[in-house]
Amino acid sequence: MTAPTTSGPAARGLAPRGLASQGLASPGLAPEGSSARRPVALDLAGRTALVTGAAGGIGRACALRLAAAGAKVRAVDRDAKGLEALTVDTQDLAGALEPQVLDLTDLDAAEAAAAGADILVNNAGLQLVRPIEEFPPDVFHTVLTVMLEAPFRLIRGALPHMYAQGWGRIVNISSVHGLRASAFKSAYVAAKHGLEGLSKTAALEGAPHGVTSVCVNPGYVRTPLVEKQIADQAAAHSVAEDRVLVDVLLKDSAIKRLIEPEEVAEAVLYLCTPQASFITGTSIALDGGWTAH
């Protein structure tokens, strides 16, 4: 039995009448010359990126990778010595790095720092592992200030420029804990879950202006923050530190290793390319299969 034949615009792969007149392509068809048909462009020359928590860990890896792709990177951190070391490591890269010592609890300064940024990477974070009944309220407040309110103010500061030029990338370094909870991490989990909602809202508002907003959700990354957690988790769970990694931190991960900061940075870089323009309002899990459960 043969399939029926058709004729007319649909048979020739053309957009149905009405879609073409509105400047819209038919579903499933990329516009002629679309960046979706080209190799991934990793050249960020002429773009200005702001990365928070840039002195170490994921933030450092992101700052280096974006600068290697040609971006001018505003590296924000409260660690002046860490930023100084980072600056040395970017001397031979295609882009440039501007270190900026800033405590993100100064929310007005954070918002001002984001003005004119084409790319915003909200990465800075802190962690304390304690049962809720023992969790210091002042630390809970600080964690939410740095990891949720500061990203809001940074996004708020960056959007006018992004909207004006019709292009922008917001990449929020969330966590598997933005998708799943763990005991003894009330402030961190609350902040990351809030960041997920903020990112989705920014995606919905930014879409008509060419601005995307995405969460990247790593599992445990080989960073000083995680190294400190190993000691904290050992105390919280009353187990030896050498068993924390496998029995506690990686218990739900199918891949039994830490993810490297550079692996996260590659995902961040891809989200800044033209080919990633349709990825927005979502979360990309780099969790070794944790959330497959």
Side-chain angles (χ1 to χ4, degrees):
M1 181 176 180
T2 59
T5 59
T6 59
S7 60
R12 298 194 296 272
L14 303 179
R17 187 180 302 276
L19 288 178
S21 64
Q22 298 173 45
L24 301 176
S26 59
L29 294 179
E32 191 67 32
S34 168
S35 61
R37 296 182 177 182
R38 303 172 187 166
V40 176
L42 301 179
D43 183 5
L44 296 180
R47 297 294 187 190
T48 296
L50 186 151
V51 180
T52 66
I58 296 172
R60 187 178 194 280
C62 288
L64 289 172
R65 190 64 185 92
L66 293 172
K72 176 182 177 182
V73 180
R74 299 177 190 169
V76 172
D77 204 294
R78 63 181 182 180
D79 180 0
K81 290 184 178 180
L83 289 178
E84 184 178 347
L86 174 64
T87 303
V88 173
D89 289 341
T90 58
Q91 289 178 352
D92 296 328
L93 300 181
L97 186 132
E98 293 182 352
Q100 182 173 355
V101 179
L102 176 63
D103 188 331
L104 291 179
T105 59
D106 185 344
L107 297 171
D108 290 339
E111 182 171 329
D118 305 304
I119 297 164
L120 172 62
V121 181
N122 283 313
N123 165 73
L126 57 153
Q127 175 69 282
L128 180 66
V129 180
R130 294 285 189 281
I132 291 175
E133 70 275 16
E134 299 175 11
F135 207 101
D138 61 324
V139 176
F140 190 95
H141 174 75
T142 299
V143 170
L144 263 70
T145 299
V146 172
M147 294 173 57
L148 182 56
E149 192 167 2
F152 159 71
R153 295 292 294 270
L154 285 153
I155 292 171
R156 189 174 188 270
L159 283 181
H161 169 71
M162 293 180 178
Y163 283 4
Q165 68 180 1
W167 190 94
R169 294 288 188 268
I170 300 167
V171 183
N172 299 298
I173 305 300
S174 181
S175 165
V176 69
H177 283 111
L179 307 173
R180 299 288 189 272
S182 287
F184 310 118
K185 298 182 179 181
S186 56
Y188 189 89
V189 170
K192 292 301 189 184
H193 274 66
L195 185 63
E196 296 281 329
L198 174 63
S199 181
K200 291 174 183 177
T201 301
L204 295 178
E205 295 184 13
H209 307 280
V211 176
T212 65
S213 178
V214 181
C215 280
V216 173
N217 302 68
Y220 287 102
V221 186
R222 193 183 305 279
T223 66
L225 186 69
V226 168
E227 291 170 357
K228 182 180 183 302
Q229 281 188 64
I230 292 175
D232 287 344
Q233 287 281 9
H237 294 278
S238 300
V239 298
E241 288 189 18
D242 60 357
R243 298 305 307 166
V244 168
L245 187 61
V246 173
D247 295 344
V248 179
L249 298 190
L250 300 179
K251 178 178 178 292
D252 292 322
S253 178
I255 300 175
K256 301 298 184 183
R257 69 169 177 86
L258 298 175
I259 186 172
E260 301 297 331
E262 292 75 16
E263 293 177 274
V264 181
E266 289 297 330
V268 171
L269 176 64
Y270 174 71
L271 291 171
C272 298
T273 66
Q275 286 76 13
S277 63
F278 214 68
I279 305 175
T280 194
T282 192
S283 303
I284 299 177
L286 307 177
D287 65 352
W290 185 336
T291 53
H293 289 280

